[in-house]
Amino acid sequence: MTRPGPRHVPAWLETASAVAWRVLVVAAAFFVFMVALSRLTVVVVPVIGALFVSAILVPPARWLRRHGWPPLLATWAAFLTAAAIVVGIGAWLVPRVADQWDPLRQSLAQNVDDTRNWLVDGPLHLSRSQVDRYATEARDIITGSGGDSGTSGATVLGGRLLRGAASGLRLLVHFLAALILTMVISFFFVKDGSVMSDWFLEQLQPSTAATLRAIGSRSWVTLTGYVRGTAVNGVVNATLMSIGLLLLHVPLVPVIAVLTFFGGFFPIVGAFVSGAVAAAVALVTKSPATALLVIGLTVVVHHVEGYLVGPVVLGRAVRLHTIVVLLALAAGGELAGVLGAFVAVPLTAVIVGIVDELRHGEAARAWSAAVAPSPPEDEAPEEAAPPPPPRVVRRSL
């Protein structure tokens, strides 16, 4: 009785199946990792915030250490200086916003009245009752009211206010706790970051430690380059935007400038939001023509940032195509909301940097040295070539 020969699997199918199960394992590990992070937001969010704060404060603290300051004193000096800058900006910003808020509210009320009059006297020829009914329906949709009136409406409104106050208080407590934890972690990252990383690497094998050290150095360079470059971009954008808005006599320039600065940390989306807010303020307080000019100003400013300032200040730290940025923002926002959109681009840049380091950098060389076979014991090591004789230089007068 003859046994059937072995069945041969095509090479392409064997390769595809090997890649498929590896992809499934990686996807499962990533899913478990994301679920764990979602359960530990009280720890993850402060650590992420501390990394961004440390990326800004480590360079000045390190500069002070190089000039003879003790680590503790250098860290306190960096933190107190940063806190003074933030408090100074807030003290300068709040009074100017308060002075311009009442004129903005009056302009908005006037525009609402003009819109009502246009709906009645304009080409639509609506009645006052129709306009009032449409306004009431729009307000009910925005506030989520079901249109109840009387005691039931007041009860529902009171219950919503109480629930809103409770949720707001809980959110405030969580925010303060996360802020305090972020500052504490940032302090120790700035003061003892190198000590902590050295201690962790000392627990590993030398080859693994060398690889992880190279990966960590590349990731830190990418993150700090992104944070500092984005901050410089935000300052340039806010300055140019403020100059343009002042020339157009648009109010709330400090608020729009701050929004433009922080919008730089949300690439593409932040520019759109800050420009939309500026255009809306110009439309309410000035005219549609001014709003169109503000939109044009926003486009010009962000083109200057994208083609002139960005490549200079970011350099090689962040090299991502626009499509990659958009997909990273979409994925981050879908997975983790605003926080995910905030960290999506730097996280993607760090991942790209790690891959590049593993392929071409010090980590690749350390890994190659770790997995390289050692020479056989019976082979004598090659003798080094004798050094060349020293050259005699004759000087002529």
Side-chain angles (χ1 to χ4, degrees), residues 88-382:
I89 292 175
W92 172 79
L93 183 64
V94 171
R96 285 159 178 78
V97 174
D99 292 339
Q100 296 180 358
W101 187 253
D102 287 338
L104 179 63
R105 183 172 55 82
Q106 296 174 2
S107 299
L108 179 60
Q110 183 63 40
N111 284 335
V112 170
D113 293 337
D114 293 341
T115 303
R116 286 174 176 267
N117 294 331
W118 181 82
L119 290 174
V120 175
D121 301 330
L124 298 179
H125 296 292
L126 299 178
S127 63
R128 293 283 180 181
S129 59
Q130 289 177 318
V131 173
D132 294 338
R133 186 174 70 252
Y134 293 151
T136 303
E137 292 176 356
R139 185 174 63 250
D140 291 341
I141 293 174
I142 293 174
T143 58
S145 175
D148 296 335
S149 60
T151 306
S152 60
T155 304
V156 171
L157 181 59
R160 287 178 178 173
L161 289 177
L162 290 177
R163 288 194 299 271
S167 62
L169 181 60
R170 184 168 59 251
L171 181 62
L172 178 61
V173 171
H174 288 175
F175 173 77
L176 292 177
L179 181 61
I180 294 173
L181 188 57
T182 300
M183 292 298 102
V184 173
I185 297 174
S186 302
F187 184 87
F188 287 105
F189 277 179
V190 175
K191 178 179 176 293
D192 300 324
S194 58
V195 177
M196 289 187 287
S197 62
D198 291 340
W199 176 87
F200 174 76
L201 294 175
E202 287 174 359
Q203 314 306 313
L204 307 175
Q205 296 293 331
S207 58
T208 306
T211 303
L212 290 181
R213 186 182 297 276
I215 291 175
S217 299
R218 179 64 178 269
S219 302
W220 180 250
V221 169
T222 302
L223 179 62
T224 54
Y226 172 82
V227 173
R228 290 198 295 265
T230 305
V232 173
N233 273 341
V235 171
V236 172
N237 291 348
T239 302
L240 295 178
M241 198 74 179
S242 300
I243 294 173
L245 294 177
L246 289 174
L247 293 176
L248 295 174
H249 301 286
V250 176
L252 294 181
V253 174
V255 176
I256 297 174
V258 173
L259 184 62
T260 303
F261 172 79
F262 286 104
F265 290 91
F266 298 87
I268 302 174
V269 177
F272 174 79
V273 172
S274 60
V277 171
V281 173
L283 179 63
V284 170
T285 58
K286 294 298 179 180
S287 64
T290 307
L292 291 176
L293 290 176
V294 170
I295 293 175
L297 173 65
T298 304
V299 173
V300 171
V301 167
H302 289 284
H303 271 76
V304 170
E305 176 250 331
Y307 292 103
L308 296 179
V309 181
V312 175
V313 298
L314 290 176
R316 296 173 57 87
V318 181
R319 295 175 295 174
L320 299 177
H321 194 272
T322 305
I323 296 298
V324 178
V325 173
L326 287 173
L327 293 177
L329 287 171
E334 182 67 23
L335 291 174
V338 177
L339 178 63
F342 181 75
V343 302
V345 176
L347 179 61
T348 305
V350 168
I351 293 174
V352 171
I354 291 175
V355 173
D356 183 71
E357 182 68 26
L358 290 174
R359 293 180 59 190
H360 307 294
E362 292 293 334
R365 288 188 285 272
W367 179 258
S368 300
V371 301
S374 58
E377 296 181 358
D378 55 352
E379 292 185 4
E382 297 182 359

